[in-house]
Amino acid sequence: MDVLADVLATTGINGVLLAQLRSRGPGWGCALEQQSTAGFHLVAEGTCWLRVAGQPPLQLVPGDVVLLPRGEPHSLVGAPEESAVPYADLEAAHPPGREGVVDLGGVGAVVRIVCGKFSYEGDTTRHPVLSALPAVIHVPGMSADPELQGVIRLLIAETTRTRPGARVVAARLTDVLFVQVIRAWLDLADADADAGTGSRQRSWLTALRDPRIGAALSLVHETPQAPWTVEGLAREVAMSRPAFARQFRELVGAAPLAYVSRLRVDRAARLLRETDDLVGDIGEAVGYASEFTFSRAFSRELGIAPGRYRRAAQAQPAT
């Protein structure tokens, strides 16, 4: 079972291109406030700097990708000490053209940044992938693996073309970009830990690399509706119950059955959003013996009853 693919499908995460920033010379700055979704920036041309509170300014060069998993406030500037203007003000002063380019003008070398987001149903603090990542992920384009380099080059090319379907192609490429950035981060985390220069952050993302805990996660994601117990999962991966429970919590950051409950509720939430199936039928499909136990588990995880969740989701306008 491809656990990462399953989580992305269950939560419905998808990439969206928002705009392109273009400027010339160092005298510019764009401030972006806290967002409810993950954001990303891809430097297509020139160099710029990323500023995030509590971290030193980070220089970005062509091909670099920055992912902000929880949409932290940040600034993109032409020079480390440059002042930044709120994006809304910049967009009002420089309305984007047909290609979605916010051209800030100026004199000097061209800087072009492709900006987008990864939206999904829910809160980024709860999303299994986004909540497991650091506040900022920087993937240098020149040091990326060949597959990621290929995606970056193609995305840069499609955002400069006027060929039919270019924007659709670019939007689809953002989905691929997300997975490639996650892979690059995992590889970097493993390399740093192996070299003794860092430590693996506890999350199910890094737990996927563990032979036994990764196998247990795969089993749970393949059949979350099964009557899983800690003993049963431990037996499946040839571990004792105490050792399995301890290692699972250490690597994933949650107890085994708490993880199963969360996965079931996430599956149910997707069915509530996307189908007209009865609440009781959905609860049974994800592993609950009665509508009452399902509603209680759903409310405990999300703070809202299944029926109210469905009505709220249906009332939201499509974006």
Side-chain angles (χ1 to χ4, degrees), residues 19-278:
Q20 296 184 54
L21 288 176
R22 185 164 61 202
S23 184
R24 295 167 183 79
W28 64 276
C30 174
L32 295 106
E33 59 187 15
Q34 177 71 50
Q35 302 296 312
S36 59
T37 57
F40 76 90
H41 302 294
L42 167 60
V43 180
E45 296 180 68
T47 61
C48 63
W49 294 79
L50 173 76
R51 290 202 307 248
V52 179
Q55 300 189 23
L58 174 65
Q59 186 175 31
L60 304 176
V61 299
D64 281 11
V65 179
V66 173
L67 172 66
L68 298 105
R70 289 171 292 283
E72 282 79 2
H74 60 284
S75 298
L76 295 167
V77 291
E81 304 301 326
E82 195 72 57
S83 60
V85 178
Y87 174 78
D89 295 343
L90 291 176
E91 187 180 49
H94 308 276
R98 283 181 50 192
E99 298 177 0
V101 177
V102 178
D103 196 333
L104 306 181
V107 178
V110 173
V111 180
R112 183 168 68 90
I113 306 167
V114 179
C115 307
K117 68 176 182 178
F118 296 103
S119 62
Y120 94 106
E121 299 289 342
D123 182 0
T124 54
T125 61
R126 177 184 164 81
H127 193 282
V129 178
L130 302 176
S131 63
L133 299 171
V136 179
I137 295 178
H138 171 222
V139 180
M142 296 305 295
S143 62
D145 63 64
E147 293 177 352
L148 178 53
Q149 287 185 22
V151 173
I152 290 172
R153 285 197 297 269
L154 187 54
L155 183 53
I156 290 174
E158 291 295 334
T159 55
T160 59
R161 294 174 176 171
T162 56
R163 295 174 61 186
R167 191 164 182 82
V168 174
V169 172
R172 298 296 181 269
L173 286 170
T174 60
D175 295 333
V176 181
L177 181 69
F178 181 81
V179 176
Q180 293 284 11
V181 168
I182 299 303
R183 289 175 175 174
W185 176 77
L186 284 170
D187 291 341
L188 182 60
D190 282 346
D192 288 345
D194 292 340
T197 58
S199 60
R200 289 180 174 88
Q201 184 176 350
R202 291 192 312 173
S203 75
W204 71 268
L205 271 174
T206 50
L208 294 178
R209 303 295 184 96
D210 184 88
R212 292 181 174 178
I213 302 304
L217 289 171
S218 180
L219 288 169
V220 169
H221 277 263
E222 187 170 4
T223 54
Q225 71 278 10
W228 292 114
T229 63
V230 178
E231 292 86 352
L233 283 169
R235 186 168 53 250
E236 289 285 349
V237 296
M239 294 180 70
S240 69
R241 182 191 185 283
F244 171 75
R246 181 177 62 254
Q247 190 170 345
F248 191 100
R249 181 182 285 276
E250 288 177 353
L251 293 179
V252 178
L257 295 189
Y259 185 88
V260 172
S261 176
R262 177 170 179 167
L263 175 60
R264 287 174 173 175
V265 167
D266 285 342
R267 289 278 181 93
R270 183 185 184 187
L271 292 172
L272 288 167
R273 295 192 305 267
E274 298 180 358
T275 74
D276 294 323
D277 296 348
L278 297 175

